[in-house]
Amino acid sequence: MNQPFLKTEKIKFKHVDYAGIVFYPRFLEMLNDLVEDWFEEALERPFSKMHETNGIPTVDLKIQFKNPARLGQVLQKKLWVKNLGFASVLCGFEFQDEEGETTLSGEVTLVNVIFNTDRNNIKAEPFSEEIKAKIKNYEL
């Protein structure tokens, strides 16, 4: 049975606002870190190499903020595949605190793109069979 990709994140001072809770744009950075880690660790496609010739931009993002996260908490971040398309992948995600309470959840759609050397021409590029096989390991 497939499992989600998991990472933990400790909430640091840099993440919080004056009220002591995570400032919502920091959650987007944490999500991007999760996606980047998934590509590097699980798909063996690190951004440092991939972005020489292509990329994986976010084209759609839906988030529901459920509960605040506070300085010092450790969040469990989960990412899984809901649908694998020709050149896109729809992922679900959820961040939970130590008690299992959901902090936020949502969906992100990523598209595999290729661009020319001056990066003026960007177009969707199908995933390779090798990458598709690795992505499918995270379908739930």
Side-chain angles (χ1 to χ4, degrees), residues 15-62:
H15 296 124
V16 300
D17 61 16
Y18 186 70
I21 61 175
V22 173
F23 182 45
Y24 75 93
R26 301 294 88 81
F27 280 126
L28 301 180
E29 293 170 350
M30 291 179 209
L31 174 60
N32 190 73
D33 290 345
L34 181 62
V35 168
E36 190 169 341
D37 289 343
W38 180 53
F39 268 82
E40 182 169 356
E41 296 170 22
L43 306 182
E44 298 173 356
R45 195 173 173 205
F47 278 25
S48 60
K49 296 292 182 199
M50 177 181 21
H51 282 248
E52 292 172 1
T53 57
N54 61 321
I56 192 83
T58 297
V59 297
D60 191 41
L61 178 61
K62 296 176 178 83

Side-chain angles (χ1 to χ4, degrees), residues 54-110:
N54 61 321
I56 192 83
T58 297
V59 297
D60 191 41
L61 178 61
K62 296 176 178 83
I63 297 179
Q64 290 186 330
F65 299 97
K66 308 277 187 171
N67 289 296
R70 300 186 184 283
L71 184 62
Q73 284 185 305
V74 176
L75 300 180
Q76 177 77 40
K77 304 186 300 184
K78 301 176 186 180
L79 180 101
W80 63 92
V81 174
K82 296 180 88 171
N83 185 51
L84 175 59
F86 172 73
S88 66
V89 59
L90 172 63
C91 297
F93 62 88
E94 182 177 53
F95 294 8
Q96 293 180 329
D97 65 19
E98 296 105 324
E99 287 79 40
E101 292 292 319
T102 300
T103 302
L104 68 122
S105 62
E107 296 180 341
V108 59
T109 303
L110 309 165

